[in-house]
Amino acid sequence: MAKQNKFTVSHAPFWHDGSSIKCMNINIMIAALPAALFGVMQFGMPALGVLCLAVSSAMAWEALFNLISRRPVAINNYNAAVIGMMVGMMMPATIPWWVLITGTFIAVVVGQQIFGGIGANPFNPAVIGISILMVSWGGHFDFDAVLVNYDFTFTALTPLAALDHQGVAAVNLFSYSDLIMGKQMGAIGSVFGAGLILGGIYLILRGFIRWEIAVSYIAGIVVTAALFNISNPDQYAGAMFHLFTGYTLLGAFFLATESSSSPVNLIPMFIYGAIGGIMTILIRNIGAYPDGTLFAILLINLINPLIDNIRPKALGRGVNNA
Amino acid sequence: MIKRSFIGLTEPKLMCDLIESGPKEPETIPIPPRMILLLNESLDSTRESLVKKGDMVRKGDKLHLYKESSEYVTSPVSGKITTITPVVGHTGLPVVSISLETAPGQGANTQFAEFAEPPDIESAARFLMGIPGNPPLQRLADPGCRVKKIVVSAVDQDMMSTTRQYVMTRSRDSLGQGVDLLKRLTGINDIVIALPESMASLAAFGPMTLLKISQDYTDALPEMIMQKHLGITPLPGRTCEDMGVCFISAEAVFALVDAYAGKEPVFEKIIGITDKNGRLTRVKATIGTPIHRIFTQLGIAADEKDRIIIGGPLRGTSAYTLYHPVQPDMDNIIVQAAADIPPISTDPCINCGNCVRICPAKVPVNLLVRYLEANLYQEAADSFDLFSCIECGLCSFVCRANIPIFQYIRLGKNELMKVEQETETEAENG
């Protein structure tokens, strides 16, 4: 018998469609780039510094935790990089470095790694990180105060904070085109609505996020805000104002759609997104916080396992034909 | 390999290959000096085996290991048995590999000729098991058989195979004969023909009922044919035969016709061979021919770390040696270059939902795989529809985390079946 070659033996299937976690994460970062770059243009070098430190510290935290927990270091799938980028994009450009690395620590380690790492996080890690920072050091997220040294050519007020403080009259200080084109104060990656929409559409078309969640989230925002507005136009701002301010679009396309903490079945995805939109507006209009996006997303992350039980019956289940 | 399209919003449509127009006559592989036969039984050292090293066998001789064995393999050539070795088959099943040194001029075993007229299912099961296409004769001969309907399938089992279509195109004139023979053999009169839509226009089918199957990969799966065309929903954990439908490959039907016409078993199998560049060559080889013979004749290279796929890219098995013989149900052999082998990872499920959306059986794969990874097979079967899976392999194909989901599913099913068998044996032993 001649010398035999050793062949690769494994279980079927022998083909794969070529998708990977790494490819998904790279594309999420590419999709976030327009909004992030706009933030850098608007807020200058400090914003670039924040983004870079956020991404690098998030990856460092994951690598460190992997070493401590004796698991293979998996930062090359860019999972931590995406979390870091999202954390950075939700920060004001003037955030102190120590708040930032605390934020990425909370996001990566507390928000994801202690649950078992990628795929095991019940909540969106970046949202966990920012929410805890906001509750702990709220002053650093008071955009009007922290961005006071900037000299903007547009209304130098954070739209949602202005709405909260001045009432619905504040809406007239901003034009929709300014809001969409990023001429507003806010976090580095959340001001440029058009960029976020562009990135979101890219992700939807490429199939990296589930369009059902993004669309129903936006629908939830628009419908709820419009209902409030119709019921009392003197007290509540219109739907478009809510859509293009705060973290709304970042939430709709990048945060609520995070894989592990969102449902996969069709009806649950619509419920999940819609509740997210509704809760965001409820918190903004009735609650104490100017922006409710992050808490609304944590809330829908919480109910995700429950609603994802609404699923179609598998083949042959509940059938009686034999 | 089919990759995900750049626009990934829609799920991938996997289309089965259709037979080319004007197919060439398959290349004949001559009978090699050494043949290998596989017998699905475990070797028991405490009992005396009926076949021994050094025995001479004639063409058509039935080889069983023990007197009470129901499994047998028919020798396709005359020759001398040189080795009998136990090997591990797919999913760890025990298999005995018998190698033969061919020695022509021994005459042939003509026992089957006495039973060929009139055809009956018992003698068919006794003599014709393992003819090309591997018809489930033993199952049909079982007195407890619940089959009411036979589907003669010219739809291939996997995406890249066109062997059944080729055989149907070539021998369609004797299909009527085959259907009559099946009716006489089994006493089942409800026989339908399943074939790709594009072949339905071959005007040779007369009054026979045709199921026109679309080119979509999932539509070609037997369970889906049953559900979409016959209106029978497969129940979890039950085979098509349990549900009263028996699928027989078109090649098996024509092999039966040939066997009864010649009054002897037939051994020539049509196989599609796809090389690393995707070029298909059809060959006609005797069952038991080691596949390296075919590769040598066709000049196909299989290098270190390549993968030899038997069957198709989604549901096939991989061979670890080129001494693997041609089997009755081996429609296709694909050589996959080492560089084209996709990676498998140990990453956990990230809940992207691709598998859930592509699953034709609507199994909650994202939840199922978490339980299977944790070895919680019973929970997986009870709450997450493990047994509804019809084993199409699409979940692993689209898995973004590159988890071998299909393998986990097979493993889970096998483990549960093992437990079930053990409990049954214990109950029998009191």
Side-chain angles (χ1 to χ4, degrees):
Chain A
M1 214 177 256
K3 183 186 167 288
Q4 283 203 52
N5 284 328
K6 287 195 179 68
F7 298 114
T8 304
V9 179
S10 60
H11 196 277
F14 306 109
W15 282 0
H16 190 267
D17 70 355
S19 61
S20 66
I21 298 177
K22 187 173 178 172
C23 168
M24 172 184 78
N25 285 333
I26 290 175
N27 277 286
I28 291 176
M29 288 195 283
I30 290 173
L33 268 186
L37 288 180
F38 183 89
V40 173
M41 275 159 53
Q42 177 126 307
F43 302 108
M45 277 303 132
L48 185 64
V50 167
L51 288 176
C52 292
L53 183 61
V55 171
S56 53
S57 64
M59 293 177 84
W61 284 125
E62 187 181 292
L64 192 67
F65 194 83
N66 284 341
L67 285 177
I68 293 170
S69 59
R70 293 185 186 155
R71 284 198 306 215
V73 175
I75 53 170
N76 66 350
N77 62 20
Y78 300 115
N79 169 52
V82 167
I83 298 174
M85 188 155 181
M86 290 301 140
V87 169
M89 285 172 73
M90 284 189 276
M91 298 253 182
T94 53
I95 198 89
W97 62 270
W98 54 270
V99 178
L100 180 53
I101 57 170
T102 313
T104 51
F105 171 81
I106 297 169
V108 171
V109 178
V110 181
Q112 186 170 64
Q113 291 298 325
I114 57 170
F115 290 105
I118 183 168
N121 49 297
F123 301 100
N124 183 324
V127 176
I128 287 273
I130 296 291
S131 305
I132 290 181
L133 291 186
M134 270 187 172
V135 174
S136 314
W137 295 300
H140 290 295
F141 289 88
D142 180 354
F143 295 99
D144 289 327
V146 297
L147 298 176
V148 74
N149 290 327
Y150 277 92
D151 195 14
F152 294 118
T153 55
F154 48 84
T155 315
L157 284 172
T158 314
L160 286 174
L163 177 69
D164 206 31
H165 301 144
Q166 303 176 18
V168 83
V171 172
N172 298 323
L173 298 171
F174 307 94
S175 78
Y176 288 144
S177 63
D178 277 3
L179 291 179
I180 296 169
M181 292 317 293
K183 291 181 177 166
Q184 56 169 314
M185 291 212 322
I188 298 166
S190 73
V191 290
F192 186 34
L196 289 169
I197 294 173
L198 196 71
I201 290 174
Y202 171 78
L203 288 179
I204 286 174
L205 288 179
R206 294 282 326 261
F208 291 112
I209 62 170
R210 316 199 260 275
W211 66 268
E212 295 90 341
I213 294 174
V215 167
S216 58
Y217 185 89
I218 289 172
I221 294 271
V222 170
V223 171
T224 320
L227 287 177
F228 269 104
N229 185 241
I230 293 164
S231 71
N232 190 352
D234 298 333
Q235 200 181 346
Y236 302 113
M240 290 303 128
F241 182 80
H242 281 292
L243 191 57
F244 294 112
T245 54
Y247 294 135
T248 313
L249 289 170
L250 194 64
F253 292 113
F254 291 90
L255 302 177
T257 54
E258 200 264 338
S259 281
S260 349
S261 51
S262 56
V264 297
N265 291 305
L266 187 69
I267 297 168
M269 284 195 283
F270 283 120
I271 299 175
Y272 171 91
I275 292 181
I278 294 168
M279 287 312 298
T280 303
I281 298 298
L282 284 182
I283 296 173
R284 283 182 187 179
N285 282 352
I286 298 171
Y289 288 93
D291 191 356
T293 311
L294 300 189
F295 299 116
I297 288 175
L298 289 182
L299 193 80
I300 51 176
N301 286 166
L302 190 68
I303 59 166
N304 156 42
L306 284 178
I307 50 174
D308 211 15
N309 276 327
I310 307 171
R311 55 171 195 251
K313 276 207 166 68
L315 189 70
R317 285 269 172 175
V319 181
N320 221 345
N321 61 1
Chain B
M1 183 161 22
I2 293 173
K3 293 277 186 188
R4 181 174 185 276
S5 64
F6 183 79
I7 303 293
L9 180 62
T10 51
E11 58 188 42
K13 278 269 176 241
L14 298 180
M15 295 296 175
C16 294
D17 283 1
L18 292 178
I19 190 164
E20 67 279 11
S21 60
K24 276 200 300 194
E25 192 63 22
E27 195 166 324
T28 307
I29 308 292
I31 292 176
R34 281 168 64 93
M35 301 285 269
I36 295 166
L37 302 174
L38 297 183
L39 186 50
N40 297 323
E41 199 170 8
S42 57
L43 210 52
D44 182 354
S45 55
T46 59
R47 288 189 289 174
E48 201 182 349
S49 166
L50 293 178
V51 284
K52 287 191 206 70
K53 199 174 150 180
D55 283 359
M56 296 302 286
V57 292
R58 287 174 301 163
K59 182 181 177 185
D61 272 351
K62 281 168 59 180
L63 309 179
H64 348 211
L65 281 186
Y66 308 107
K67 249 193 198 123
E68 59 280 14
S69 305
S70 61
E71 290 286 334
Y72 67 89
V73 50
T74 315
S75 176
V77 288
S78 304
K80 190 168 103 179
I81 296 177
T82 49
T83 55
I84 301 175
T85 35
V87 289
V88 178
H90 189 48
T91 66
L93 290 173
V95 173
V96 172
S97 161
I98 301 173
S99 39
L100 283 178
E101 214 163 74
T102 49
Q106 303 271 323
N109 184 332
T110 53
Q111 227 183 334
F112 173 63
E114 300 161 24
F115 297 92
E117 199 52 50
D120 73 300
I121 190 75
E122 266 95 50
S123 57
R126 266 175 59 207
F127 291 99
L128 300 180
M129 199 171 89
I131 59 170
N134 207 18
L137 296 171
Q138 284 199 324
R139 224 173 286 170
L140 288 170
D142 182 358
C145 169
R146 299 174 59 185
V147 173
K148 303 273 179 298
K149 193 185 199 82
I150 293 178
V151 179
V152 175
S153 181
V155 178
D156 281 282
Q157 288 169 298
D158 210 325
M159 283 172 57
M160 282 176 74
S161 174
T162 49
T163 301
R164 289 183 181 180
Q165 295 171 53
Y166 171 75
V167 178
M168 186 61 130
T169 319
R170 190 193 61 176
S171 314
R172 59 181 184 272
D173 294 337
S174 49
L175 182 67
Q177 232 178 311
V179 171
D180 286 339
L181 177 62
L182 275 183
K183 284 181 185 168
R184 286 174 68 192
L185 271 177
T186 59
I188 297 167
N189 285 321
D190 191 359
I191 296 180
V192 296
I193 318 289
L195 76 179
E197 275 168 329
S198 56
M199 286 176 72
S201 55
L202 299 174
F205 302 110
M208 281 175 264
T209 318
L210 298 186
L211 308 178
K212 295 171 195 166
I213 311 299
S214 85
Q215 212 186 330
D216 193 329
Y217 165 65
T218 46
D219 284 350
L221 302 169
E223 288 85 353
M224 286 292 126
I225 294 180
M226 243 169 67
Q227 196 193 19
K228 289 194 177 171
H229 296 270
L230 306 177
I232 304 169
T233 306
L235 295 182
R238 306 269 293 272
T239 61
C240 293
E241 281 89 357
D242 290 339
M243 309 292 300
V245 182
C246 179
F247 283 81
I248 297 184
S249 129
E251 193 178 17
V253 176
F254 296 123
L256 280 173
V257 172
D258 291 346
Y260 276 95
K263 295 196 186 335
E264 59 175 2
V266 286
F267 301 102
E268 294 214 307
K269 174 87 186 88
I270 306 283
I271 309 165
I273 315 281
T274 309
D275 69 6
K276 282 192 236 186
N277 303 320
R279 200 169 48 96
L280 172 81
T281 321
R282 245 176 239 113
V283 298
K284 190 197 277 181
T286 306
I287 289 170
T289 308
I291 55 181
H292 75 91
R293 281 270 153 192
I294 305 176
F295 283 18
T296 318
Q297 185 163 338
L298 299 184
I300 291 176
D303 304 312
E304 187 90 359
K305 291 189 178 154
D306 286 351
R307 191 152 55 187
I308 312 294
I309 302 167
I310 291 170
L314 288 173
R315 285 153 66 88
T317 55
S318 50
Y320 54 85
T321 167
L322 287 183
Y323 289 89
H324 192 88
V326 169
Q327 290 291 94
D329 55 355
M330 184 191 271
D331 283 349
N332 228 30
I333 303 173
I334 303 165
V335 186
Q336 188 178 34
D340 295 338
I341 297 177
I344 289 175
S345 86
T346 51
D347 283 332
C349 169
I350 59 161
N351 213 39
C352 70
N354 284 347
C355 49
V356 174
R357 277 186 290 282
I358 204 165
C359 179
K362 299 197 187 94
V363 173
V365 190
N366 63 326
L367 300 173
L368 176 67
V369 73
R370 286 172 164 78
Y371 282 79
L372 294 176
E373 279 179 330
N375 301 345
L376 298 169
Y377 304 126
Q378 195 58 54
E379 286 85 343
D382 294 343
S383 315
F384 302 102
D385 307 312
L386 176 62
F387 282 103
S388 290
C389 168
I390 58 171
E391 308 197 349
C392 65
L394 286 176
C395 47
S396 302
F397 175 75
V398 299
C399 182
R400 200 172 280 172
N402 299 48
I403 302 171
I405 309 174
F406 188 15
Q407 187 171 5
Y408 275 121
I409 289 178
R410 277 259 178 84
L411 176 69
K413 285 184 175 179
N414 274 337
E415 291 293 315
L416 285 180
M417 282 176 198
K418 246 193 257 171
V419 171
E420 204 177 306
Q421 276 166 6
E422 275 166 24
T423 0
E424 274 173 21
T425 333
E426 270 172 33
E428 276 170 24
N429 296 343

